[in-house]
Amino acid sequence: MKLKQLFLCVLYAGLFLFQLSCKDELSEIQNEEAFKAEKNSSLSAREFSGDSLILENPYSTENMAKALQRVKYNNPKYSFGKFNVQTTHLYLKFSPENEEQVSLLKSDSTMHYFDYRMDAEYKEEYLANRSPDKDSIPVYYTAVPVGKTLPAVKHEVLSELYIPEQDPYFSDIKDNEEYQVTDRVENKTDLFNNLLFSAYEQTGNEQDLLTDNATPEARWIFGSKWYPSGNIRVQDDIAGSRPVTGAQVLMRQWFTVAQGITDGNGNFSTSSVRGKARYVIQWERYHYSVRDGSFFQAETHGPNVKKQSWSINLNGGKDEYHALIHQAAHDFYYGYRFGLISPPMNNHFYNFGRQSQIKIAGRLSNSGPPSSYSHIRSEISFGLSAQIHIKNYGSTSDQVYGTTIHELSHALHSVKDRFSYDNIVRDSFLSGDSQVKNRNRRLLESWPVAVEILMTLERYRVRYNISNYSVYSTFQIVNYQNRTIAASNHYTSGIYDMTDMVDQRRTYGSAYPVDQVNGYTIKELENALSGSRYWNDYRDRVKAMYPNKPTRPFVDDLFANWQD
């Protein structure tokens, strides 16, 4: 009997152990399935039901406090000392009411704004094709450290944030290539990684941290700092693939933004980030902003990656278009411009008050009025419209570049002498006298033609060493000038002709302008704009200001090519 009882005990024990073993195996399978389901659930949670998806915010102070409580619960013996979750940043929504308030926002170059939410994902086509709100002034989103002085613009706090990556308390943690989350905390590095993972996991965003080799038993997350970098180029119809200089590349990780500016070779790098972050080119610098259409900031969106550089050659479409407009604006504001004064500069005071950041609209439609500049447009619409509209989408690269220079040269003219410029514009477009219109508009347009030709030649013939380049690639420079010989054509080569050494009539024949003038610099010709109100008025001012120029006697003949 005892033997039988012993046998039964052994049998029951074996069955019990087998059951435990099966349960462990089943549990492991269930854990694996649950892990996969959790990952799929996390991914499906980010599927769009419409054009956008507002994500649950892992960095809210409330969520981070809950994550800390979870970490503390799992580590009752660890001494957390005085560490606690406290608000480090504020997530803000600004609602400017006019151009002056937009200018206030953009007056601080350390703040980076987005005209869409930072805690949301959007379909790319939505951001590319969205329409402005009824008030036509975008709202702006940003995150700032607690205590930062804010511009006096209407705003609301969308969320209080705790960003452990920005907390000095964690500045000395170990920089692991990967880190395995075990819920066990033995040091500050453990605390940082477990806190961050818990916060992401509670909000369904853990995929942003998990590495590709993570499993339910080994939850590996991306732990080390990395330094985003790359190279930005644009495909130029004339010069081929060329570096984009001065482009602002932002590395955005939720509410943290690192900035890099491309150098002369198109290379950039930013400060360090942890985990996954998205590359974004914002086609804007302190003095100007390229718009996608009239209202929204033009951007090029790169990949959302972990520890990967990004190099791209922008070829075709709006990205190439915006890059070329940016390059022209950057060259005019920050590059070589023959000693000319700057176009209107952000936060500077000119004739009629403080100037805001110039907005350059990259328009896709070529219908209606051509490319244009108007400071009045922005002033009378309270900032609802860009001052410059470029309407060269689909044109050759040098035409996009040159047209942008042309319109910025109008803006320069308005800075040089706003009173005379305004009178030229008024008489050019509002006068009932056709002769008055012609003589004024001829001066109005001939000045930017000169700068446009000089800077476009500088880009292609000098910088890129294309010796046979002529403005534009679709017609030779002499033909471009010949188009302007008719009295009714206001876009003349007359001012440019005073700077070059080519005598058009002698070189190309009787169909071309009489052109024996040379030896003037574009800076000297810029100086003569002050006080000049019409074509012959400008001619006489040039002669009076520079009486000792050898070719001065021929200036009258040159200007006579374009008379009513």
Side-chain angles (χ1 to χ4, degrees), residues 8 16 22 55 64 92 153 177 194 347 384 414 451 496 500 513:
L8 290 174
F16 178 72
C22 289
L55 306 175
M64 279 287 176
L92 303 173
V153 178
E177 182 68 23
N194 280 275
N347 220 23
L384 306 188
S414 74
V451 183
Y496 170 77
D500 72 350

Side-chain angles (χ1 to χ4, degrees), residues 253-310:
Q253 185 182 50
W254 283 91
F255 305 100
T256 301
V257 179
Q259 180 200 55
I261 302 295
T262 57
D263 62 16
N265 295 315
N267 297 320
F268 70 91
S269 61
T270 76
S271 55
S272 66
V273 299
R274 290 181 184 271
K276 181 182 288 187
R278 179 180 294 281
Y279 289 97
V280 178
I281 305 174
Q282 269 195 351
W283 298 111
E284 134 176 282
R285 294 299 298 274
Y286 183 65
H287 294 303
Y288 64 87
S289 169
V290 181
R291 299 301 179 94
D292 185 1
S294 294
F295 303 104
F296 296 112
Q297 177 63 54
E299 292 186 346
T300 295
H301 296 151
N304 193 20
V305 295
K306 301 173 184 176
K307 207 171 186 179
Q308 293 181 28
S309 61
W310 180 45

Side-chain angles (χ1 to χ4, degrees), residues 46-53 123:
R46 290 193 173 187
E47 290 182 0
F48 295 92
S49 58
D51 292 320
S52 62
L53 175 68
K123 289 183 177 178

Side-chain angles (χ1 to χ4, degrees), residues 34 59 62 99 117 124 135-136 152 177 179 214 234 296 380 528:
Y59 287 100
E62 181 182 4
E99 171 62 23
R117 294 182 67 106
E124 192 66 32
D135 60 5
S136 299
E177 182 68 23
Y179 178 89
V234 64
F296 296 112
I380 64 175

Side-chain angles (χ1 to χ4, degrees), residues 62-266:
E62 181 182 4
N63 182 64
M64 279 287 176
K66 289 180 181 178
L68 179 58
Q69 288 302 114
R70 177 179 170 184
V71 173
K72 286 183 174 180
Y73 178 81
N74 291 329
N75 297 273
K77 296 183 179 181
Y78 180 75
S79 175
F80 289 85
K82 295 183 179 180
F83 174 75
N84 201 1
V85 167
Q86 294 182 335
T87 300
T88 59
H89 292 70
L90 299 176
Y91 175 32
L92 303 173
K93 174 184 176 181
F94 284 92
S95 301
E97 297 177 351
N98 51 49
E99 171 62 23
E100 182 179 358
Q101 292 188 359
V102 173
S103 177
L104 286 174
L105 293 181
K106 298 302 182 75
S107 63
D108 186 346
S109 60
T110 66
M111 295 177 68
H112 301 292
Y113 297 94
F114 299 85
D115 51 27
Y116 51 86
R117 294 182 67 106
M118 302 175 76
D119 57 345
E121 290 185 356
Y122 296 88
K123 289 183 177 178
E124 192 66 32
E125 58 269 23
Y126 166 73
L127 290 178
N129 301 305
R130 58 188 166 146
S131 299
D133 295 332
K134 61 181 179 180
D135 60 5
S136 299
I137 302 180
V139 295
Y140 293 93
Y141 300 88
T142 190
V144 299
V146 169
K148 182 175 179 62
T149 302
L150 301 177
V153 178
K154 179 183 176 182
H155 65 274
E156 58 181 301
V157 178
L158 298 180
S159 180
E160 294 184 357
L161 308 174
Y162 172 70
I163 304 179
E165 297 97 320
Q166 302 292 310
D167 189 344
Y169 179 81
F170 291 116
S171 62
D172 58 346
I173 63 173
K174 187 176 180 181
D175 199 29
N176 299 296
E177 182 68 23
E178 290 184 330
Y179 178 89
Q180 184 178 2
V181 176
T182 63
D183 295 327
R184 186 173 63 251
V185 174
E186 296 180 351
N187 52 54
K188 194 185 293 187
T189 300
D190 293 336
L191 173 58
F192 172 84
N193 287 288
N194 280 275
L195 176 64
L196 192 63
F197 183 77
S198 294
Y200 270 69
E201 188 177 43
Q202 288 173 170
T203 53
N205 296 293
E206 63 272 18
Q207 290 305 312
D208 287 350
L209 298 180
L210 288 169
T211 63
D212 293 336
N213 63 334
T215 67
E217 291 74 32
R219 295 176 297 173
W220 291 96
I221 66 172
F222 190 86
S224 65
K225 292 180 181 179
W226 62 286
Y227 292 83
S229 62
N231 181 269
I232 310 299
R233 303 178 72 85
V234 64
Q235 190 65 30
D236 189 291
D237 299 316
I238 308 302
S241 177
R242 294 292 173 173
V244 178
T245 303
Q248 176 177 251
V249 184
L250 303 179
M251 200 62 183
R252 189 166 77 81
Q253 185 182 50
W254 283 91
F255 305 100
T256 301
V257 179
Q259 180 200 55
I261 302 295
T262 57
D263 62 16
N265 295 315

Side-chain angles (χ1 to χ4, degrees), residues 466-481:
I466 304 175
S467 58
N468 62 347
Y469 173 75
S470 296
V471 181
Y472 287 120
S473 60
T474 52
F475 43 78
Q476 297 298 309
I477 190 169
V478 291
N479 293 332
Y480 177 79
Q481 294 172 335

